[in-house]
Structure formats: C-alpha cells, structure tokens
Amino acid sequence: MSNFLTSLRTVGFLTAAGVLLASCGLGGSTTAGPRQVASGSSLVLLTDRGSVEGTSGNGVRKFYAIPYAAPPIGPLRFAPPALHAKFSGGFFNATQPGNICPQPGSTAPLVQSEDCLNLNVTTPFPAGTGLPVMVWIHGGSFTSGAGVEYDPTQLVTVGNIIVVTINYRLGILGWLGAAALDNGTGNTGNYGIEDQVAALGWVQRNIAVFGGNPNNVTVAGESAGAISVAQLLAVPKANGLFGRAILESGPPAAATNPVSLAETEVGPLVTSGLGCTGTNAQIVACLQNPTNTFQKILSVQATLPAFKIGPTIGADITVQPRTQLGKVPLLDGGNELELATFLEGFDVALPTALYPGQSITETQYTNDLGVLYGSAEFADAIAAEYPLTSYPDGYTAVSQVMTDYNVPLQVLTLCEDVTSWNVQAAAGGSPAYAYEFDDPNAPAIEPGLPRGPDHGSELIYLWPALEIGGGQALLPSSQPLATAMQQYWTNFVRTGNPNGNGLPNWPAYTTPTTALQLAPTIQTGVDVNLEHKCPFWNSFGLATSMVRYPAWHGTARFYPR
C-alpha cells in the first residue's frame, strides 16, 4: 500500500480524485436573505445562534454543517475553541454538507478548511420529543475523516433516535503539544478533545429543539473516535455532558501518553519545520500566522515519526481514562483479527514483508517477530505460543499475534479490551456490555485484503451507506448480523441496555465468557481472554503495562483509525 493512511480513510467516501482545498465550504451559508423562521415549520428550528434550515427525505430530517464553535483561525489556531457568533441575519442554511478539517490526501468534493468546527444532526421525520441522542466521533488516525462521511439514516430509523456527527481538528492543528503554547496551565495540545467537548456542549444547549433529550446522550466512536470517547471519561469539562459510551476498537484501559512527551518529541519538530523560532510569544505568533497555511502545516506533519499525533494527559485530560471506568455504562469491544488491517504498515521495518497468502519459513517468522517485539528471545517465546503451522500464512499468524497484544498499537489490542472490561466490572458501578466482532465474511476495508473481522470492518454493519475502501459489499448472509447490531446499538443508546427486540441475550460483563460474539451465530461462551492468549501476554507484564513505546518505538508508520 503506497499510502496507508489515505487509503484507510476511504472507510468513508473520501475517494474521489483531485484535492479541493479552499477557505469556503460547499454549504452552511449564513446568508440571511428574506428568510424567516416559519411558525410550526419542522425544517426551520431556532438554536442559540439563530435559526437553521434543514432537509428531509427517507423518513429522516437532516441539518448539515451547523457551526458549534468559532473558526479556529488567527488567535484561535492552537487554542481552545470559542463560542460561535450569532448567525448573520439570524439564519443558517444547513441543507448541504459543509467544510471538513484539513487532512492529508484528496477529499473532493468535500472542501478542506480550518473553518471546520461543525456538526450534522439527523432526526426521525416527523420527529417526536425527548428522543435519545447519540453523538458520533469519527475515526481516522486523529489525522483524517469527517462527521459527514457517516450517514446515520439507518440507525435513526431503526432506533427512533437522533444522531449527531461531528468534525474536530485533526493532525498537528488538533493535537500539537508545544511548550510555547503552554500558557502556564499545561493547556497545550488536545485541541481536538476540546472541540469534542464544545460539540457536546452545543448538544446540551440545543438538541431539545430538534426533539432530543439532553439528559439522554450517548457518546460513541470507532478507533480514534473510540480513543477520544475514552479520553472524554477523564476530561472534567465533559462531566455531565453524556451518560453512557460506545467504544469500537479503542479499549479505554489502554495508556495515554503525557503531554511532556509531545512537547519534547513533536513540538520542536513542528516549530522548526515551520520556521518558528525565538521567544514563546514569537513562536506562537509564527504558528498562528496565516502565511503558515494549513497546506504547509500538513507538509510538516507528513515528516513526523510514527505514533506522534493524538491525545495526551495534561490540563484537559487530567488522569488516565482507565481510572474513570465504572462511572458510566459502556458498550465496548474489538474485532477478532484487528491488526490485519495495519500489518502491511510494518513492512518498512520487517526483514520479510508479509502479504495475504504468502508462505514464509519459521526463521522468517521469528525474525519478523524479533523486530516487532524487540528481542530474539521474546520472538522465540511468541513463536512457540503461536506456531506458524496453526495459521494459513505468515500474514495471518503475525496479524493474530499483533491483534492479541502489541505496543505500537496497544490501543487496538484485544487483551486491552479484556483488561478494560475487567476494570469496569471490578469498579462495581455501571455495567459494561462487551463484544468481539467475528464475522469471517466481513468486507475488507483495504484493497487486496481478504474478507474478515479486521479493523473497521464492523462499520458497514452499522452505517450501511459507508463506502468501504476494499470495494467489497456486505454479503446477504451477513445482513441478519447487521440488523441485530443496529438494534443492539440503538437499544443501548435508548436505555443503556442493548437487549430487546427478541435479540439473543447480551449479558452485562462479568467474565470473559460473557462477551458477546458478534458473528453469523450470535452467542456468548467463548473465553476471549484465553482465545487471545492474554495470560501469556500478562506473564510478560505487558497486557497490564502503562508503557506505550518500548523497543518498537518508531518501527511502523501510522496510528489507528
């Protein structure tokens, strides 16, 4: 794969050729014209910034690209989000998709702009009142993606809920930790998290006029979005903004790095790359100078080492998310062969590149493991626990090893999921509903990969309009599972319990055998802890480690979607 991050982000529909970079958007006009709020109109609603007009069709009502914060430009670049001004003329046209945040690669016809802090609201049509609300945080490695990629029509109509999808600042613009930006409070980096908090605040202030219940809000996300959800558990300003959480492939017990690591390893590379030197005030002025365009910032971002962009523990995220488990109900899980999606990204460091169907020798297998896990001794132990002969090819063998536990992508490993479930259950507060997605016929999200339950492959079951990068369609045999998952998810959004609708029972988590297997036959009884050899990894002190970067530091190229 020549550009994994760019191609992985085609889990959404950002696949068209040509880069469209502009400071204006496709929609989201605040031009007032002669429009007035129509009394009783269900398509024109009054928010705290002014009236918004949406569209309707297919049983839903949609409002696109509503600003939830001021454009983060000028003095608001690399700063917390600010309240958006009242709409010009008191009116906002929310009938078309708006800007998305700057990111690598082509996003045409969607327009990239720093003026991108907007959200999309989809409700049943006609809508009732007091409806449950799900706020969706997209994935994309903290560097790509957009809320508008995800069409929630199916979830809205199946569950009679409201879905809000959001944008948040990405890449350096969203996550730059730099000492010069610290105003003395430790508040540097995590601008993307602060954006998410601002969007949740907008929901609290406004969702009632769309028919939603601000006291029944679930925050949900996948991969980088799920990792964000985990961080929000540890953000004091997010307290009270949501009551339950859904995390797909982002176990909340996984460690989050301290801001000091970003300030020492990332900040200097960015400031020097942009030519920003001098006093802290001079560096900040340079970073915020419009001559440092977002295109230039993206070019510097492309030179950074791996695993450097994302949330950090600091002034906003004050503690490790795992310490907050048990406070809200969770629906949380991962995919049975999660790391198969990412494995080719490690080829740059491997003695033997790994591809589906490729035969490799035992020596090649252990040599690759030695690079990935830091020592020949450790590689021998892994190879004994995961015999190459037990798998159809080396690609699958190493994918399974990495899925069960690894450090560069620790935030995706199944043993971290098991740890998360155990910590939530031990807290004795709110329940966790644990799952393992394991449909062997799931569409691949990368061209050239075989079907299977790898990273992101569950998304099309919940968001059927999503275009999958691998170009494979959901098979008819997988449709019953998709229908069940949509019902489980929306039941949880409604009540905090996924059960109902005649679905197979999903027990609250107590032991690894109570995790629900989301497969053609939905069932419990599989010991996920043993299936993924977590006792083996725990014997090395790894699956409970808070260390993210030991010997593998810098051996791969990308962060999780």
Side-chain angles (χ1 to χ4, degrees):
M1 303 176 195
S2 60
N3 188 335
F4 185 89
L5 279 178
T6 301
S7 55
L8 177 57
R9 55 194 300 285
T10 61
V11 169
F13 51 69
L14 307 185
T15 57
V19 179
L20 187 56
L21 305 172
S23 61
C24 57
L26 295 178
S29 169
T30 58
T31 303
R35 296 180 183 271
Q36 301 294 326
V37 176
S39 176
S41 170
S42 60
L43 296 180
V44 180
L45 302 175
L46 184 62
T47 74
D48 65 345
R49 302 292 89 189
S51 62
V52 295
E53 181 175 10
T55 64
S56 64
N58 298 317
V60 299
R61 180 178 57 170
K62 294 186 177 185
F63 299 83
Y64 290 102
I66 302 172
Y68 67 80
I73 57 178
L76 292 180
R77 181 193 271 180
F78 302 118
L83 192 65
H84 197 279
K86 295 282 188 179
F87 299 144
S88 174
F91 175 81
F92 185 84
N93 177 2
T95 61
Q96 296 291 328
N99 297 336
I100 67 172
C101 294
Q103 53 197 271
S106 168
T107 59
L110 300 178
V111 177
Q112 294 185 26
S113 169
E114 289 186 68
D115 182 3
C116 62
L117 299 185
N118 61 64
L119 52 79
N120 313 285
V121 182
T122 304
T123 81
F125 185 72
T129 59
L131 296 178
V133 181
M134 183 178 89
V135 178
W136 177 256
I137 303 176
H138 68 79
S141 310
F142 295 108
T143 60
S144 64
V148 76
E149 292 181 276
Y150 296 85
D151 180 356
T153 297
Q154 185 77 3
L155 293 173
V156 168
T157 55
V158 166
N160 195 34
I161 64 173
I162 291 175
V163 175
V164 180
T165 64
I166 70 171
N167 291 344
Y168 55 95
R169 279 174 281 182
L170 301 169
I172 290 173
L173 289 165
W175 307 100
L176 175 62
L181 293 168
D182 187 344
N183 60 9
T185 65
N187 190 3
T188 175
N190 292 335
Y191 307 115
I193 285 289
E194 293 189 273
D195 295 342
Q196 294 165 13
V197 173
L200 289 167
W202 182 96
V203 169
Q204 288 295 311
R205 298 191 307 272
N206 292 288
I207 204 64
V209 302
F210 293 83
N213 180 356
N215 297 315
N216 191 1
V217 176
T218 298
V219 63
E222 182 266 345
S223 193
I227 297 166
S228 296
V229 172
Q231 308 308 312
L232 289 168
L233 297 172
V235 175
K237 288 187 291 187
N239 288 344
L241 300 183
F242 61 94
R244 53 187 73 103
I246 296 174
L247 302 94
E248 302 169 30
S249 301
T256 300
N257 285 327
V259 67
S260 58
L261 192 66
E263 289 182 337
T264 57
E265 294 191 357
V266 179
L269 296 176
V270 173
T271 54
S272 62
L274 292 173
C276 297
T277 60
T279 66
N280 283 353
Q282 289 171 327
I283 291 173
V284 172
C286 175
L287 289 171
Q288 295 176 337
N289 193 312
T291 60
N292 273 322
T293 64
F294 76 75
Q295 294 93 333
K296 185 183 295 184
I297 290 172
L298 287 174
S299 68
V300 171
Q301 180 178 308
T303 68
L304 296 179
F307 315 126
K308 301 299 186 183
I309 294 175
T312 55
I313 301 293
D316 303 294
I317 306 166
T318 56
V319 295
Q320 290 289 344
R322 67 183 292 157
T323 66
Q324 304 303 298
L325 292 175
K327 294 187 175 181
V328 301
L330 300 182
L331 190 157
D332 174 73
N335 297 358
E336 198 277 333
L337 203 61
E338 194 88 59
L339 265 292
T341 303
F342 293 90
L343 187 57
E344 289 187 55
F346 291 85
D347 290 348
V348 65
L350 297 183
T352 302
L354 296 169
Y355 302 97
Q358 175 191 19
S359 296
I360 64 173
T361 67
E362 292 281 353
T363 299
Q364 290 172 322
Y365 181 46
T366 55
N367 285 346
D368 277 357
L369 292 174
V371 170
L372 290 169
Y373 287 84
S375 74
E377 180 181 3
F378 201 7
D380 289 340
I382 297 170
E385 187 71 18
Y386 295 80
L388 181 60
T389 55
S390 298
Y391 301 92
D393 51 38
Y395 176 85
T396 304
V398 177
S399 293
Q400 191 64 69
V401 173
M402 297 286 284
T403 291
D404 294 354
Y405 192 80
N406 74 80
V407 175
L409 295 175
Q410 178 184 344
V411 286
L412 296 182
T413 60
L414 266 293
C415 288
E416 284 288 5
D417 277 309
V418 175
T419 298
S420 300
W421 306 335
N422 288 335
V423 173
Q424 174 91 354
S430 299
Y433 293 92
Y435 76 85
E436 179 182 30
F437 178 77
D438 193 12
D439 185 353
N441 295 314
I445 68 167
E446 272 292 288
L449 294 185
R451 287 180 178 267
D454 55 5
H455 188 66
S457 61
E458 88 288 356
L459 285 170
I460 196 173
Y461 291 69
L462 299 165
W463 309 85
L466 204 58
E467 293 188 15
I468 298 298
Q472 298 173 350
L474 191 69
L475 296 180
S477 60
S478 295
Q479 186 57 54
L481 175 59
T483 299
M485 289 175 61
Q486 293 161 20
Q487 293 174 338
Y488 279 132
W489 262 241
T490 56
N491 286 345
F492 182 82
V493 169
R494 294 184 64 82
T495 68
N497 186 324
N499 291 292
N501 309 100
L503 296 165
N505 182 56
W506 189 341
Y509 180 85
T510 54
T511 66
T513 60
T514 58
L516 194 68
Q517 296 292 305
L518 293 173
T521 299
I522 300 173
Q523 61 183 347
T524 57
V526 174
D527 191 323
V528 180
N529 187 56
L530 295 180
E531 178 192 21
H532 292 281
K533 303 182 185 294
C534 300
F536 166 77
W537 295 106
N538 282 320
S539 72
F540 290 94
L542 287 179
T544 57
S545 171
M546 299 297 283
V547 179
R548 179 72 58 83
Y549 303 124
W552 302 340
H553 181 57
T555 61
R557 294 176 296 194
F558 19 80
Y559 203 82
R561 175 178 174 82

